[in-house]
Amino acid sequence: QLQASGGGSVQTGGSLVLSCTASGGHIRIIRIGTMAWYRQAPGKEREFVATIAWSGNIDYADFVKGRFTISRDNAKNTVYLQMNSLKPEDTAVYYCNADMSTMEGSDWSEGRYWGQGTLVTVSS
Protein backbone atom coordinates (compact mmCIF):
# COMPACT_ATOMS: atom_id res chain seq x y z
CA GLN A 1 0.00 0.00 0.00
CA LEU A 2 3.01 2.27 0.32
CA GLN A 3 5.28 2.52 -2.70
CA ALA A 4 8.61 4.27 -2.25
CA SER A 5 10.76 5.46 -5.12
CA GLY A 6 13.54 7.86 -5.99
CA GLY A 7 16.56 6.09 -4.59
CA GLY A 8 19.77 5.83 -6.51
CA SER A 9 23.50 6.40 -6.49
CA VAL A 10 25.03 9.85 -6.08
CA GLN A 11 28.34 11.32 -5.12
CA THR A 12 29.06 13.18 -1.90
CA GLY A 13 27.29 16.51 -1.93
CA GLY A 14 24.63 15.34 -4.35
CA SER A 15 20.87 15.41 -3.99
CA LEU A 16 17.98 13.02 -4.32
CA VAL A 17 14.24 13.26 -3.84
CA LEU A 18 12.42 10.27 -2.44
CA SER A 19 8.69 9.89 -2.73
CA CYS A 20 6.26 7.49 -1.16
CA THR A 21 2.66 7.12 -2.25
CA ALA A 22 -0.14 5.37 -0.43
CA SER A 23 -2.63 3.53 -2.58
CA GLY A 24 -5.41 1.25 -1.51
CA GLY A 25 -6.21 -0.94 -4.46
CA HIS A 26 -9.22 -2.87 -3.23
CA ILE A 27 -8.73 -1.27 0.19
CA ARG A 28 -10.13 2.22 0.61
CA ILE A 29 -7.93 4.71 2.38
CA ILE A 30 -10.05 6.79 4.70
CA ARG A 31 -7.41 8.91 6.37
CA ILE A 32 -3.64 9.25 6.42
CA GLY A 33 -2.18 10.71 9.58
CA THR A 34 1.50 11.02 10.32
CA MET A 35 3.93 10.00 7.60
CA ALA A 36 7.59 9.39 8.17
CA TRP A 37 10.89 8.28 6.75
CA TYR A 38 13.28 5.85 8.38
CA ARG A 39 16.50 4.35 7.12
CA GLN A 40 18.57 1.27 7.69
CA ALA A 41 22.25 1.15 6.86
CA PRO A 42 24.02 -2.18 6.33
CA GLY A 43 24.62 -3.88 9.63
CA LYS A 44 22.70 -1.26 11.59
CA GLU A 45 19.27 -0.93 13.08
CA ARG A 46 16.54 1.04 11.39
CA GLU A 47 16.59 4.67 12.53
CA PHE A 48 14.23 7.61 12.38
CA VAL A 49 14.89 10.29 9.77
CA ALA A 50 11.92 12.64 9.60
CA THR A 51 8.21 12.81 10.23
CA ILE A 52 5.35 15.05 9.14
CA ALA A 53 1.89 15.13 10.63
CA TRP A 54 -1.36 15.75 8.76
CA SER A 55 -1.27 19.23 10.29
CA GLY A 56 2.15 19.85 8.83
CA ASN A 57 4.12 19.60 12.06
CA ILE A 58 7.59 18.34 11.24
CA ASP A 59 10.42 16.75 13.15
CA TYR A 60 13.87 15.67 12.00
CA ALA A 61 16.66 13.53 13.32
CA ASP A 62 19.57 15.72 14.32
CA PHE A 63 21.86 14.20 11.71
CA VAL A 64 19.68 15.43 8.80
CA LYS A 65 18.65 18.85 10.05
CA GLY A 66 19.52 21.50 7.52
CA ARG A 67 20.11 18.93 4.77
CA PHE A 68 16.86 17.01 4.37
CA THR A 69 13.34 18.38 3.93
CA ILE A 70 10.19 16.36 4.39
CA SER A 71 6.93 17.42 2.80
CA ARG A 72 3.61 15.90 1.82
CA ASP A 73 0.86 16.30 -0.70
CA ASN A 74 -2.33 15.16 0.96
CA ALA A 75 -4.27 15.24 -2.28
CA LYS A 76 -1.84 12.70 -3.73
CA ASN A 77 -1.37 10.66 -0.53
CA THR A 78 2.34 11.20 -1.00
CA VAL A 79 5.24 12.09 1.26
CA TYR A 80 8.55 13.38 -0.07
CA LEU A 81 12.07 13.57 1.26
CA GLN A 82 14.35 16.11 -0.38
CA MET A 83 17.91 15.11 0.46
CA ASN A 84 20.71 17.60 -0.14
CA SER A 85 24.40 17.62 0.74
CA LEU A 86 24.42 13.85 0.88
CA LYS A 87 27.23 12.09 2.71
CA PRO A 88 28.51 8.52 2.47
CA GLU A 89 27.03 7.88 5.91
CA ASP A 90 23.59 8.57 4.43
CA THR A 91 23.90 5.34 2.47
CA ALA A 92 20.98 3.16 3.50
CA VAL A 93 17.68 1.69 2.49
CA TYR A 94 15.09 4.36 3.11
CA TYR A 95 11.64 3.31 4.27
CA CYS A 96 8.47 5.32 4.50
CA ASN A 97 5.60 4.66 6.83
CA ALA A 98 2.17 6.09 7.34
CA ASP A 99 -0.52 5.84 9.96
CA MET A 100 -3.66 5.06 8.02
CA SER A 101 -7.30 4.31 8.53
CA THR A 102 -8.65 2.00 5.87
CA MET A 103 -11.76 0.07 4.96
CA GLU A 104 -11.89 -3.26 3.20
CA GLY A 105 -15.50 -4.00 2.51
CA SER A 106 -17.18 -3.18 5.81
CA ASP A 107 -14.08 -3.79 7.89
CA TRP A 108 -12.43 -0.72 9.41
CA SER A 109 -8.76 -0.91 10.21
CA GLU A 110 -6.14 1.42 11.62
CA GLY A 111 -2.44 0.87 11.68
CA ARG A 112 1.03 1.87 10.68
CA TYR A 113 1.99 0.72 7.22
CA TRP A 114 5.49 0.45 5.81
CA GLY A 115 6.75 0.79 2.28
CA GLN A 116 9.20 -1.61 0.71
CA GLY A 117 12.25 0.64 0.90
CA THR A 118 14.39 2.38 -1.67
CA LEU A 119 18.18 2.21 -1.71
CA VAL A 120 20.29 5.34 -1.51
CA THR A 121 24.01 4.99 -2.11
CA VAL A 122 26.37 7.91 -1.62
CA SER A 123 29.93 7.48 -2.82
CA SER A 124 32.90 9.55 -1.71
Side-chain angles (χ1 to χ4, degrees):
Q1 289 181 306
L2 286 175
Q3 183 70 39
S5 62
S9 296
V10 297
Q11 293 187 328
T12 297
S15 298
L16 285 172
V17 179
L18 307 183
S19 62
C20 177
T21 299
S23 60
H26 65 283
I27 297 174
R28 190 159 66 102
I29 297 173
I30 304 301
R31 179 181 179 274
I32 302 177
T34 299
M35 305 182 83
W37 288 96
Y38 283 70
R39 71 185 187 184
Q40 186 167 19
K44 295 186 177 181
E45 294 186 351
R46 191 172 297 188
E47 62 182 356
F48 166 76
V49 175
T51 187
I52 182 168
W54 170 267
S55 62
N57 287 339
I58 290 172
D59 191 24
Y60 294 102
D62 286 344
F63 54 78
V64 302
K65 286 181 179 177
R67 300 189 299 123
F68 291 9
T69 302
I70 190 171
S71 61
R72 64 189 288 170
D73 184 334
N74 291 329
K76 296 181 178 180
N77 291 342
T78 299
V79 62
Y80 304 95
L81 187 68
Q82 171 73 51
M83 304 187 296
N84 299 326
S85 302
L86 283 162
K87 306 173 182 180
E89 51 264 43
D90 294 319
T91 295
V93 177
Y94 284 72
Y95 297 91
C96 59
N97 73 34
D99 294 335
M100 296 195 293
S101 301
T102 62
M103 286 198 72
E104 184 175 6
S106 61
D107 294 330
W108 175 279
S109 180
E110 293 184 343
R112 176 161 295 175
Y113 297 82
W114 288 85
Q116 86 287 3
T118 185
L119 177 62
V120 172
T121 303
V122 185
S123 58
S124 57

